[in-house]
Amino acid sequence: MPSRGGRSTFRQLRRGALITLTALLGFCAFETAQARTVRIVQAQTLELRRLDDQELVIITAGEGGGTVELRVDDDVVQASRIEYNRTRRTLTLIGSASYHSAQDGQTLQGENLVVDLGQEELTGEDVLISDGDIEIRGEEVERIPGQLRATGGYFTPCAKCGRTPNDYAFRAERLILYPGDRLVAYRAQLLLADFPVLYLPVVVLPLNNADRQPRLAIGSGQPDGRTVEADLPFSIGANTLGTTLLRYYENRNPSLGLGVSLRSYAPLSWVDRLNLYTLANPKPFASDGTRQVGYDLDLDLSVKGRIPLALAVRDLDYTLNMTRRDIGRTQDDPERGVTRVDFTANVEYPLFSAQFNYNDRFGPAPTVALTTPLRTPEVVLNPKPYTLGNFSADFKVTAGRYTAASNPLSRSASAQGLNISSSRLEEGHSLGYTAQPWRGADLTLSNTFTGRYYGTGARTVDLNISADLTQRFNVTNTVRLRYSYIRVEGTSPFAFDALPTRRLSAPLSLDLSTVPVKDVSFGVSYTRDLFLPWDQQPPARFSLTVNRLPVYLTYNLAHNFLTGELESSDFNLTLGDPNADQVTVTPAQPAQPATPFSPAVPAQPATVTRSSRWPAPRLTLTANGSYTRTGGYQPFTVRATVTGDIRTNAFSVYATHDIQTPRLSAIGVEFSGVSSTDAVLNPLSFTGRENLNLLTPRLTGSYSLTWRGAYTISTAHDVALEQAENVKESGTLTFSVGSAAGRATNWQLTYGGPYDLRRGGFTRPALTGTLNATRPGQSLALAATVNTPGLDQPRTELTRADANAVWQFGSRVALSGRVSYNRYRSGIFPNDVATDTLILDPIRVGLALGNGPRPGAYLTGSLRQTFTWQGGARQNPTPLAPVIGLTIDRCCWALQAEIDLSLRRYRLGISLPGSSSYPLFDYGTEGFNVPLLPLR
């Protein structure tokens, strides 16, 4: 039942009528007076009743039971029976029901819940509330925007662990929950294993991330002396969250800094969101050690909102941003002390839309050019497009005062300095008209104009008037006549809207596109600009396309008849037809005797019709080339390709001729094939390519042979056939064997490296091997490189090795690690010295402790260390220094201990739901430290 005009279509039902919805396929939706949309997702019956001047809609799941599901905007409501009071705008959930709030991430479960759609409130008894990692039970619960209140409440972060009893919990007379921020309990009891152990008048449990946690940092150093930084969260009402920022620096003048960071949701009826961050911080010491007096100010204010207007299509929406950044800037920074304000408001009425912009900066005068213009202010008026038959018109007017960088092309503007201020009026319109004056003809007229007029007396004009007449003949033949008048002139005083160039042009174009015969298309395009001299006119362009088997040809030519010069020409020719051997046989027809009404018909022999006249169906020839007046002739390439019975089997040769040299520049060959025994099994496949560059000269190529798609042998080379006397290497040559890539287990061995053709051998060869194996819960990656003797390499030695492994033994033990070894040499053989490096980065082991499906503790160890040897001697020897950790995981809390032997540090911390880890103590080389209570 879709709604119309925001009114419920339930008015179409008779009072007391009962509607049964079988196979409900979509949503049944209606809107409340506050524009909250209620959609019926799942239901069986609807009933409309009137009781005491109140209109009720009763939604049930039917006699067979089940659940009714509604969506209130993005919230989900479920119950066995729901009564919607249209007069009071309330939902009553009968029996066991649940209400999930998408905005707060809460799920409320209870009996006979009442939802007020107008005030966005919810009340109920014996309600279970789930908020993130915490579950709350209350005898009476009331939910209002931004808060949830409960009396006789019980809450615990351990409810979702599945353990009984809970490790710890609280019972309180009154609870107030600020979703996503904190939970406040009054007159509470602390329960350990459901046994009361402590009475607390107030308990505050943070629920949000780190930016909503109290923070205190105390330190000392030069030149500031003792410093204190404190962040104290607070809230104002149900919709404003903030943090007070306190800063103290012993040696600064003044010593105390103060600020606030807050965000507010709908604090006023016309404000949707307000964010504020401001901090007045004492100025730091200058770079030369001089103490500065005063404050540096950071300010960031943003406001978004809407204002309802009676006749507007939608509410007026606005945004306000105000920023200032002083902290961290040097004294000579041009942005220091500058406050920027950006305000935008939009409104739309049935006949037009309007926009108001105000962008300004306050503070010291700018010393550099303003890349972003300041609008102080700007008004944009945009009437809705107007149409009358085939005529359309669209207008837009912009007026304002601007300050921006001066246009260097304007002498008067440049004389004002780097920036200039002036008023500006911009008018733009677009007019269009379309018609069909006669059969097969289309006429289009258009006029686009943008004019800008400045308070300095300058102006700019961008005008484009065009007419386009297209005539079609026999569908495939088209003649098009186009005329345009383009006028771009004037000089803006501003750089941001300066015209790129002046232009006065009136091109008259004639385009012809025709199909003279089947499968052949021909086109001609000629343009004459009425304002250009004869020697600057563009050339005429011709195009020809032939697509008739076995010929496919494209040819383009541009010739300037006024100068008599050929501007450009290119072609691409393909001769071939893979289906040329297919024939169509027409059976012979016997003779027909004469009849009184028709003469005798002689016998007709059988005929054979071929798909094309190409005699070699497996041969394809291609040729391409081009010419430009400025670049001359481009290389001409000819290629011949022979295809086998299987399309993957192909052999091609090609040659490239440099016409300007003139000489043959390159020749090459490419081939691929598959040895097939049936449609599925292909034992062998091979590919290869070879290219000889005759100008360099240089030989490049690669070959591969694959068996059953599993194993591959390949080789590749790139060598220069001629080299200077002082060059010892011609290029590279490699040979590889291994399994095909992408398999769960694959390996590869590669031998080769730089090669010298003159001396006939490898100069610095190497053997490289890789192995990768992956299984569920296990992975292994090995790689190694061994240098072998060559012309310029006398030794055989291991130069690199890498191992990366992850191994999981069941669900209790895991091992992972990465080990890397490298060797490099310095000096001249045989007196060179080897330096070996072994890196463990890292090696980890994890052990899960405890019975049951979920471990209760985890013991971990990791080792990150680097070992270095030079000439076989260990450098800077240090003992092994692993990091050992123990985590006790109880779901609702966790205790973490760490011993770092490399830093000689011992740490202990605890984690609670809705918060990050709280470090309890830290003991290291700098002494004993309690982060929550700094001792230094």
Side-chain angles (χ1 to χ4, degrees):
M1 299 180 185
S3 60
R4 298 179 181 177
R7 297 182 178 179
S8 170
T9 56
F10 288 124
R11 291 190 182 276
Q12 301 174 8
L13 307 179
R14 296 181 179 178
R15 297 175 183 175
L18 183 65
I19 298 179
T20 302
L21 302 181
T22 58
L24 186 65
L25 298 177
F27 291 111
C28 176
F30 50 91
E31 294 185 357
T32 69
Q34 275 67 29
R36 297 200 69 190
T37 302
V38 179
R39 298 180 297 170
I40 302 176
V41 180
Q42 179 179 338
Q44 185 67 22
T45 64
L46 300 179
E47 183 178 355
L48 181 62
R49 294 180 182 178
R50 180 171 293 277
L51 180 63
D52 297 333
D53 296 329
Q54 297 184 17
E55 211 170 346
L56 300 178
V57 179
I58 301 175
I59 311 170
T60 63
E63 299 178 357
T67 302
V68 175
E69 181 176 341
L70 304 183
R71 296 287 175 90
V72 182
D73 292 339
D74 294 328
D75 299 345
V76 181
V77 180
Q78 291 182 337
S80 58
R81 174 187 172 98
I82 298 178
E83 295 182 0
Y84 172 53
N85 190 318
R86 298 188 60 199
T87 305
R88 297 182 177 180
R89 300 186 300 279
T90 59
L91 289 175
T92 302
L93 315 183
I94 308 301
S96 178
S98 67
Y99 184 95
H100 176 75
S101 174
Q103 180 179 0
D104 300 332
Q106 297 174 344
T107 300
L108 291 81
Q109 297 177 347
E111 299 286 337
N112 302 327
L113 300 179
V114 178
V115 183
D116 190 329
L117 299 178
Q119 303 296 328
E120 299 186 11
E121 297 179 356
L122 183 145
T123 58
E125 299 178 355
D126 296 330
V127 178
L128 173 64
I129 308 161
S130 298
D131 186 285
D133 295 326
I134 297 179
E135 287 191 358
I136 306 169
R137 294 182 179 90
E139 296 177 358
E140 295 182 1
V141 173
E142 178 184 5
R143 177 183 179 273
I144 63 176
Q147 285 188 18
L148 193 147
R149 303 171 183 174
T151 59
Y154 174 94
F155 67 95
T156 175
C158 303
K160 294 187 177 181
C161 300
R163 297 187 176 99
T164 303
N166 297 317
D167 285 1
Y168 69 95
F170 296 88
R171 183 182 292 116
E173 292 186 11
R174 187 164 64 96
L175 297 174
I176 300 179
L177 175 66
Y178 299 90
D181 182 59
R182 67 195 183 282
L183 185 148
V184 182
Y186 297 94
R187 293 180 291 279
Q189 285 182 325
L190 172 63
L191 310 178
L192 296 182
D194 283 347
F195 183 81
V197 296
L198 182 65
Y199 171 82
L200 298 171
V202 178
V203 175
V204 179
L205 185 63
L207 302 177
N208 208 345
N209 49 23
D211 65 349
R212 291 295 299 161
Q213 307 303 319
R215 187 179 72 91
L216 177 65
I218 302 176
S220 62
Q222 294 300 326
D224 291 332
R226 183 171 294 275
T227 61
V228 178
E229 295 184 2
D231 296 346
L232 306 176
F234 66 88
S235 65
I236 302 175
N239 50 17
T240 301
L241 305 176
T243 302
T244 301
L245 310 176
L246 300 177
R247 304 292 184 262
Y248 172 78
Y249 305 91
E250 182 180 13
N251 297 333
R252 295 189 187 184
N253 186 15
S255 299
L256 184 64
L258 182 64
V260 66
S261 174
L262 61 85
R263 59 181 184 268
S264 183
Y265 304 90
L268 300 172
S269 58
W270 45 272
V271 177
D272 293 337
R273 179 72 180 266
L274 183 147
N275 291 343
L276 172 64
Y277 174 87
T278 181
L279 175 61
N281 210 41
K283 288 186 177 181
F285 284 79
S287 57
D288 58 359
T290 304
R291 183 166 62 175
Q292 303 181 89
V293 179
Y295 284 96
D296 286 340
L297 178 64
D298 273 8
L299 172 66
D300 191 343
L301 171 66
S302 64
V303 182
K304 295 182 179 180
R306 294 171 295 171
I307 300 177
L309 298 177
L311 301 179
V313 175
R314 57 179 59 89
D315 294 344
L316 180 147
D317 64 88
Y318 68 90
T319 59
L320 171 65
N321 294 284
M322 184 181 300
T323 58
R324 176 174 174 173
R325 294 284 186 272
D326 289 344
I327 299 177
R329 295 188 184 275
T330 60
Q331 290 296 325
D332 56 353
D333 193 314
E335 289 297 316
R336 185 177 182 83
V338 175
T339 301
R340 295 187 176 273
V341 178
D342 186 355
F343 177 79
T344 300
N346 298 277
V347 66
E348 182 179 353
Y349 285 92
L351 297 181
F352 68 92
S353 61
Q355 184 180 72
F356 177 84
N357 298 308
Y358 182 85
N359 313 103
D360 203 353
R361 67 189 300 277
F362 300 91
T367 58
V368 297
L370 297 175
T371 56
T372 302
L374 303 179
R375 299 170 170 86
T376 57
E378 178 189 66
V379 178
V380 181
L381 184 63
N382 190 5
K384 298 296 180 65
Y386 171 78
T387 58
L388 179 61
N390 295 335
F391 175 77
S392 64
D394 191 7
F395 293 86
K396 183 179 180 181
V397 178
T398 303
R401 182 171 180 80
Y402 302 82
T403 300
S406 302
N407 184 5
L409 300 179
S410 173
R411 294 182 180 180
S412 60
S414 300
Q416 300 290 331
L418 293 175
N419 301 295
I420 185 174
S421 298
S422 176
S423 57
R424 186 188 75 156
L425 173 65
E426 177 181 326
E427 189 276 328
H429 63 257
S430 176
L431 308 178
Y433 177 78
T434 59
Q436 292 182 338
W438 55 79
R439 182 179 179 182
D442 292 322
L443 175 65
T444 301
L445 304 176
S446 66
N447 179 351
T448 59
F449 172 81
T450 301
R452 302 185 182 100
Y453 309 93
Y454 304 90
T456 61
R459 71 177 181 90
T460 62
V461 173
D462 188 347
L463 173 65
N464 189 333
I465 302 175
S466 65
D468 190 321
L469 178 62
T470 302
Q471 179 66 58
R472 292 180 301 276
F473 302 93
N474 300 330
V475 180
T476 58
N477 302 320
T478 303
V479 176
R480 183 181 182 186
L481 180 64
R482 293 176 296 168
Y483 174 76
S484 298
Y485 177 79
I486 304 171
R487 190 181 188 91
V488 180
E489 63 181 12
T491 303
S492 168
F494 299 116
F496 75 91
D497 63 353
L499 297 178
T501 182
R502 294 186 177 184
R503 182 183 179 187
L504 180 61
S505 177
L508 177 63
S509 303
L510 178 64
D511 300 328
L512 171 65
S513 177
T514 181
V515 179
V517 295
K518 182 182 179 182
D519 301 328
V520 176
S521 61
F522 177 74
V524 180
S525 177
Y526 179 71
T527 301
R528 182 69 182 268
D529 196 319
L530 304 182
F531 288 101
L532 287 179
W534 67 273
D535 57 344
Q536 297 181 15
Q537 297 291 337
R541 301 186 179 276
F542 303 86
S543 65
L544 174 67
T545 301
V546 179
N547 188 10
R548 176 178 295 180
L549 295 177
V551 178
Y552 179 78
L553 170 67
T554 60
Y555 179 74
N556 298 285
L557 181 143
H559 187 273
N560 195 320
F561 291 95
L562 297 177
T563 60
E565 293 183 344
L566 179 64
E567 295 292 334
S568 65
S569 177
D570 65 84
F571 77 96
N572 192 319
L573 173 65
T574 300
L575 298 176
D577 183 6
N579 300 318
D581 56 347
Q582 296 182 4
V583 298
T584 302
V585 179
T586 302
Q589 299 293 329
Q592 298 291 333
T595 65
F597 303 98
S598 62
V601 178
Q604 301 293 329
T607 59
V608 178
T609 304
R610 306 185 67 88
S611 63
S612 70
R613 299 180 180 179
W614 185 243
R618 298 183 181 179
L619 175 65
T620 301
L621 301 177
T622 61
N624 60 77
S626 63
Y627 165 83
T628 60
R629 182 175 59 85
T630 57
Y633 290 97
Q634 303 302 309
F636 174 75
T637 302
V638 178
R639 178 185 292 266
T641 302
V642 177
T643 306
D645 295 334
I646 304 175
R647 293 297 177 90
T648 55
N649 297 343
F651 179 85
S652 66
V653 294
Y654 63 90
T656 301
H657 187 271
D658 191 344
I659 300 177
Q660 299 194 71
T661 309
R663 60 176 294 187
L664 192 65
S665 60
I667 57 174
V669 59
E670 297 177 356
F671 59 86
S672 63
V674 175
S675 174
S676 177
T677 57
D678 53 43
V680 178
L681 185 62
N682 300 320
L684 293 176
S685 61
F686 56 90
T687 61
R689 63 177 183 84
E690 196 72 51
N691 179 273
L692 175 60
N693 190 323
L694 300 175
L695 300 180
T696 312
R698 193 171 193 88
L699 186 66
T700 59
S702 63
Y703 303 88
S704 67
L705 178 66
T706 302
W707 181 69
R708 294 186 181 274
Y711 303 100
T712 300
I713 300 175
S714 62
T715 179
H717 57 271
D718 183 359
V719 294
L721 302 181
E722 297 179 2
Q723 63 190 65
E725 292 296 334
N726 59 343
V727 177
K728 296 183 178 181
E729 296 174 355
S730 304
T732 59
L733 175 64
T734 59
F735 299 92
S736 299
V737 60
S739 57
R743 302 174 68 90
T745 301
N746 62 82
W747 58 272
Q748 188 173 33
L749 291 175
T750 302
Y751 175 78
Y755 192 85
D756 190 355
L757 290 177
R758 182 185 294 109
R759 292 181 288 173
F762 289 98
T763 60
R764 294 175 288 111
L767 177 65
T768 301
T770 61
L771 171 64
N772 293 277
T774 303
R775 295 178 182 177
Q778 302 173 1
S779 66
L780 177 65
L782 302 175
T785 300
V786 178
N787 286 347
T788 59
L791 299 177
D792 299 329
Q793 185 171 266
R795 291 188 181 91
T796 299
E797 61 182 354
L798 179 67
T799 59
R800 184 181 67 86
D802 289 286
N804 197 336
V806 176
W807 208 277
Q808 185 170 342
F809 303 89
S811 61
R812 298 292 176 176
V813 181
L815 176 66
S816 65
R818 181 180 181 273
V819 180
S820 176
Y821 167 79
N822 289 277
R823 163 174 283 198
Y824 71 91
R825 289 185 172 271
S826 58
I828 302 176
F829 179 82
N831 298 320
D832 50 352
V833 179
T835 300
D836 301 295
T837 304
L838 179 65
I839 301 175
L840 309 178
D841 186 28
I843 295 179
R844 293 190 179 97
V845 61
L847 177 64
L849 307 176
N851 298 323
R854 177 168 181 166
Y858 299 88
L859 181 63
T860 61
S862 64
L863 178 63
R864 295 178 182 267
Q865 205 149 348
T866 300
F867 305 89
T868 304
W869 293 266
Q870 190 169 14
R874 172 83 180 274
Q875 305 295 309
N876 300 323
T878 57
L880 294 178
V883 178
I884 302 173
L886 174 64
T887 301
I888 300 177
D889 182 16
R890 292 293 291 177
C891 182
C892 54
W893 62 274
L895 187 68
Q896 297 170 316
E898 180 184 273
I899 302 176
D900 191 333
L901 297 180
S902 63
L903 301 177
R904 297 181 182 179
R905 183 175 64 188
Y906 305 86
R907 294 190 296 183
L908 180 66
I910 188 171
S911 297
L912 298 175
S915 64
S916 57
S917 176
Y918 288 112
L920 298 180
F921 74 82
D922 189 333
Y923 178 75
T925 57
E926 298 180 356
F928 187 80
N929 181 28
V930 180
L932 295 179
L933 298 174
L935 303 178
R936 50 182 170 80

Coordinates of all heavy atoms in Angstrom, one line a residue, residues 713-758:
I713 N 59.0 -25.6 -18.8 CA 60.4 -25.3 -19.1 C 60.4 -24.0 -20.0 O 59.7 -24.0 -21.0 CB 61.1 -26.5 -19.8 CG1 61.0 -27.7 -18.9 CG2 62.5 -26.1 -20.1 CD1 61.6 -29.0 -19.6
S714 N 61.3 -23.1 -19.6 CA 61.3 -21.8 -20.4 C 62.7 -21.3 -20.4 O 63.6 -21.6 -19.6 CB 60.3 -20.8 -19.8 OG 60.7 -20.5 -18.5
T715 N 62.9 -20.4 -21.4 CA 64.2 -19.7 -21.5 C 63.8 -18.3 -22.1 O 62.9 -18.1 -22.8 CB 65.1 -20.4 -22.4 OG1 66.4 -19.6 -22.6 CG2 64.6 -20.6 -23.8
A716 N 64.7 -17.3 -21.7 CA 64.5 -16.0 -22.2 C 65.9 -15.3 -22.4 O 66.8 -15.7 -21.7 CB 63.7 -15.1 -21.3
H717 N 66.0 -14.4 -23.4 CA 67.2 -13.8 -23.7 C 67.0 -12.4 -24.2 O 66.0 -12.1 -24.8 CB 68.1 -14.6 -24.7 CG 67.4 -14.8 -26.0 ND1 66.6 -15.9 -26.2 CD2 67.4 -14.0 -27.1 CE1 66.1 -15.8 -27.4 NE2 66.5 -14.7 -28.0
D718 N 67.9 -11.5 -23.9 CA 67.9 -10.1 -24.4 C 69.4 -9.7 -24.5 O 70.0 -9.3 -23.5 CB 67.2 -9.2 -23.5 CG 67.1 -7.8 -24.0 OD1 67.6 -7.5 -25.1 OD2 66.5 -7.0 -23.3
V719 N 70.0 -9.8 -25.7 CA 71.4 -9.6 -25.9 C 71.6 -8.7 -27.1 O 70.9 -8.7 -28.1 CB 72.2 -10.9 -26.1 CG1 72.1 -11.8 -24.9 CG2 71.6 -11.7 -27.3
A720 N 72.7 -7.9 -27.0 CA 73.1 -7.0 -28.1 C 74.2 -7.8 -28.9 O 75.1 -8.4 -28.4 CB 73.8 -5.7 -27.5
L721 N 74.0 -7.8 -30.2 CA 74.9 -8.5 -31.1 C 76.2 -7.7 -31.4 O 77.1 -8.3 -31.8 CB 74.1 -8.8 -32.4 CG 72.8 -9.6 -32.3 CD1 72.2 -9.8 -33.7 CD2 73.1 -10.9 -31.6
E722 N 76.2 -6.5 -31.1 CA 77.4 -5.7 -31.2 C 77.6 -4.9 -30.0 O 76.6 -4.3 -29.4 CB 77.3 -4.7 -32.4 CG 77.2 -5.4 -33.8 CD 77.0 -4.4 -34.9 OE1 77.1 -3.2 -34.6 OE2 76.9 -4.8 -36.1
Q723 N 78.8 -4.8 -29.5 CA 79.1 -4.1 -28.2 C 80.5 -3.5 -28.3 O 81.3 -3.9 -29.0 CB 79.0 -5.0 -27.0 CG 80.0 -6.2 -27.0 CD 79.7 -7.2 -26.0 OE1 78.7 -7.9 -26.1 NE2 80.6 -7.4 -25.0
A724 N 80.6 -2.4 -27.5 CA 81.9 -1.7 -27.5 C 83.0 -2.6 -26.8 O 82.7 -3.5 -26.1 CB 81.7 -0.4 -26.7
E725 N 84.2 -2.2 -27.0 CA 85.3 -3.0 -26.5 C 85.4 -3.0 -25.0 O 85.8 -4.0 -24.3 CB 86.7 -2.5 -27.1 CG 86.8 -2.7 -28.6 CD 86.9 -4.2 -28.9 OE1 87.3 -5.0 -28.0 OE2 86.5 -4.6 -30.0
N726 N 85.0 -1.9 -24.4 CA 85.0 -1.8 -22.9 C 83.8 -2.3 -22.2 O 83.7 -2.3 -21.0 CB 85.2 -0.3 -22.5 CG 84.1 0.6 -23.0 OD1 83.3 0.2 -23.9 ND2 84.0 1.8 -22.5
V727 N 82.8 -2.8 -22.9 CA 81.7 -3.4 -22.4 C 81.9 -4.9 -22.2 O 82.2 -5.6 -23.2 CB 80.4 -3.1 -23.2 CG1 79.2 -3.8 -22.6 CG2 80.2 -1.6 -23.3
K728 N 81.7 -5.5 -21.0 CA 81.9 -6.9 -20.7 C 80.7 -7.8 -20.8 O 80.8 -9.0 -20.6 CB 82.6 -7.0 -19.4 CG 84.0 -6.4 -19.3 CD 84.6 -6.6 -17.9 CE 86.0 -6.0 -17.8 NZ 86.6 -6.3 -16.5
E729 N 79.5 -7.2 -21.0 CA 78.3 -8.0 -21.0 C 77.4 -7.6 -22.2 O 77.3 -6.4 -22.5 CB 77.5 -7.8 -19.7 CG 78.2 -8.3 -18.4 CD 77.5 -7.9 -17.2 OE1 76.5 -7.2 -17.3 OE2 78.0 -8.4 -16.1
S730 N 76.9 -8.6 -22.9 CA 76.0 -8.3 -24.0 C 74.6 -8.2 -23.6 O 73.8 -7.6 -24.3 CB 76.2 -9.5 -25.1 OG 77.5 -9.6 -25.4
G731 N 74.2 -8.9 -22.6 CA 72.8 -8.9 -22.1 C 72.5 -9.9 -21.1 O 73.4 -10.3 -20.4
T732 N 71.3 -10.5 -21.1 CA 71.0 -11.5 -20.1 C 70.5 -12.8 -20.8 O 69.8 -12.7 -21.9 CB 69.9 -11.0 -19.1 OG1 68.8 -10.6 -19.8 CG2 70.5 -9.9 -18.3
L733 N 70.7 -13.9 -20.2 CA 70.2 -15.2 -20.7 C 69.8 -16.1 -19.5 O 70.6 -16.2 -18.6 CB 71.3 -15.9 -21.6 CG 71.0 -17.3 -22.1 CD1 69.8 -17.3 -23.0 CD2 72.2 -17.9 -22.8
T734 N 68.6 -16.6 -19.5 CA 68.1 -17.4 -18.4 C 67.4 -18.7 -18.9 O 66.8 -18.7 -19.9 CB 67.2 -16.6 -17.5 OG1 66.0 -16.2 -18.3 CG2 67.8 -15.4 -16.9
F735 N 67.5 -19.7 -18.0 CA 66.8 -21.0 -18.2 C 66.0 -21.3 -17.0 O 66.6 -21.2 -15.9 CB 67.8 -22.1 -18.6 CG 68.6 -21.9 -19.8 CD1 69.8 -21.2 -19.7 CD2 68.1 -22.2 -21.1 CE1 70.6 -21.0 -20.9 CE2 68.9 -22.0 -22.2 CZ 70.1 -21.4 -22.1
S736 N 64.8 -21.7 -17.1 CA 63.9 -22.0 -15.9 C 63.2 -23.3 -16.1 O 62.8 -23.7 -17.3 CB 62.9 -20.9 -15.7 OG 63.6 -19.7 -15.5
V737 N 62.9 -24.0 -15.0 CA 62.1 -25.2 -15.0 C 61.3 -25.1 -13.7 O 61.8 -24.7 -12.6 CB 62.9 -26.4 -15.1 CG1 63.9 -26.6 -13.9 CG2 62.0 -27.7 -15.1
G738 N 60.0 -25.5 -13.7 CA 59.2 -25.5 -12.5 C 57.8 -25.8 -12.8 O 57.4 -26.2 -13.9
S739 N 57.0 -25.7 -11.7 CA 55.6 -26.0 -11.9 C 54.8 -24.7 -12.3 O 55.3 -23.6 -12.2 CB 55.0 -26.5 -10.5 OG 55.2 -25.6 -9.5
A740 N 53.6 -24.9 -12.9 CA 52.9 -23.8 -13.4 C 52.4 -22.9 -12.2 O 52.1 -23.4 -11.1 CB 51.6 -24.3 -14.1
A741 N 52.4 -21.6 -12.4 CA 52.1 -20.6 -11.4 C 50.6 -20.8 -11.0 O 49.8 -21.2 -11.9 CB 52.4 -19.2 -11.8
G742 N 50.2 -20.4 -9.8 CA 48.9 -20.5 -9.4 C 48.5 -21.8 -8.6 O 47.4 -21.8 -8.1
R743 N 49.3 -22.8 -8.6 CA 49.0 -24.0 -7.9 C 49.3 -23.9 -6.4 O 50.1 -23.0 -6.0 CB 49.8 -25.2 -8.5 CG 49.6 -25.3 -10.0 CD 50.6 -26.4 -10.5 NE 50.3 -27.7 -10.0 CZ 49.4 -28.6 -10.6 NH1 48.8 -28.2 -11.8 NH2 49.2 -29.8 -10.1
A744 N 48.6 -24.7 -5.6 CA 48.8 -24.6 -4.2 C 50.2 -24.9 -3.8 O 50.8 -24.3 -2.9 CB 47.8 -25.6 -3.5
T745 N 50.9 -25.8 -4.5 CA 52.3 -26.1 -4.3 C 53.0 -25.9 -5.6 O 52.7 -26.5 -6.6 CB 52.5 -27.5 -3.8 OG1 51.8 -27.7 -2.6 CG2 54.0 -27.8 -3.6
N746 N 53.9 -24.9 -5.6 CA 54.6 -24.7 -6.9 C 56.1 -24.4 -6.5 O 56.4 -23.9 -5.5 CB 54.0 -23.5 -7.6 CG 54.1 -22.2 -6.9 OD1 55.1 -21.5 -6.8 ND2 52.9 -21.9 -6.2
W747 N 57.0 -24.7 -7.5 CA 58.4 -24.5 -7.3 C 59.0 -24.1 -8.7 O 58.4 -24.3 -9.7 CB 59.1 -25.8 -6.8 CG 58.9 -27.0 -7.8 CD1 57.8 -27.9 -7.8 CD2 59.7 -27.4 -8.9 NE1 58.0 -28.8 -8.8 CE2 59.1 -28.5 -9.5 CE3 60.9 -26.9 -9.4 CZ2 59.7 -29.1 -10.6 CZ3 61.5 -27.5 -10.5 CH2 60.9 -28.6 -11.0
Q748 N 60.2 -23.5 -8.6 CA 60.8 -23.1 -9.8 C 62.3 -23.0 -9.6 O 62.8 -22.5 -8.5 CB 60.3 -21.7 -10.3 CG 60.8 -21.3 -11.6 CD 60.1 -20.0 -12.1 OE1 59.8 -19.2 -11.3 NE2 60.0 -19.9 -13.4
L749 N 63.1 -23.4 -10.6 CA 64.6 -23.2 -10.6 C 64.9 -22.4 -11.8 O 64.5 -22.7 -12.9 CB 65.3 -24.6 -10.6 CG 65.2 -25.5 -9.4 CD1 65.8 -26.8 -9.6 CD2 65.9 -24.8 -8.2
T750 N 65.8 -21.4 -11.6 CA 66.2 -20.5 -12.7 C 67.7 -20.4 -12.7 O 68.3 -20.1 -11.6 CB 65.6 -19.1 -12.6 OG1 64.1 -19.3 -12.6 CG2 66.0 -18.2 -13.7
Y751 N 68.3 -20.6 -13.8 CA 69.8 -20.5 -13.9 C 70.1 -19.5 -15.0 O 69.4 -19.5 -16.1 CB 70.5 -21.8 -14.3 CG 72.0 -21.6 -14.5 CD1 72.8 -21.5 -13.4 CD2 72.5 -21.6 -15.8 CE1 74.2 -21.3 -13.6 CE2 73.8 -21.4 -16.0 CZ 74.7 -21.3 -14.9 OH 76.0 -21.1 -15.1
G752 N 71.0 -18.6 -14.8 CA 71.4 -17.6 -15.8 C 71.8 -16.3 -15.2 O 72.0 -16.2 -14.0
G753 N 71.9 -15.3 -16.1 CA 72.3 -14.0 -15.7 C 72.9 -13.2 -16.8 O 72.7 -13.5 -18.0
P754 N 73.8 -12.3 -16.5 CA 74.5 -11.6 -17.6 C 75.4 -12.5 -18.5 O 76.0 -13.4 -17.9 CB 75.3 -10.5 -16.8 CG 74.7 -10.4 -15.5 CD 74.1 -11.7 -15.2
Y755 N 75.3 -12.3 -19.8 CA 76.0 -13.1 -20.7 C 76.9 -12.3 -21.7 O 76.5 -11.2 -22.1 CB 75.0 -13.9 -21.5 CG 75.6 -15.1 -22.3 CD1 75.9 -16.3 -21.7 CD2 76.0 -14.9 -23.7 CE1 76.4 -17.3 -22.4 CE2 76.5 -15.9 -24.4 CZ 76.8 -17.2 -23.8 OH 77.3 -18.2 -24.5
D756 N 78.1 -12.8 -22.0 CA 79.0 -12.1 -22.9 C 79.2 -12.9 -24.2 O 79.7 -14.0 -24.1 CB 80.3 -11.8 -22.3 CG 81.2 -10.9 -23.1 OD1 80.8 -10.5 -24.2 OD2 82.3 -10.5 -22.6
L757 N 78.7 -12.4 -25.3 CA 78.8 -13.1 -26.6 C 80.2 -13.2 -27.1 O 80.6 -14.2 -27.7 CB 77.9 -12.5 -27.7 CG 76.4 -12.6 -27.5 CD1 75.6 -11.9 -28.6 CD2 76.0 -14.1 -27.5
R758 N 81.0 -12.1 -26.8 CA 82.3 -12.1 -27.3 C 83.2 -13.2 -26.7 O 84.0 -13.9 -27.4 CB 83.0 -10.7 -27.1 CG 84.4 -10.6 -27.7 CD 85.0 -9.3 -27.3 NE 84.4 -8.1 -27.9 CZ 83.6 -7.2 -27.3 NH1 83.5 -7.3 -26.0 NH2 83.0 -6.3 -28.0

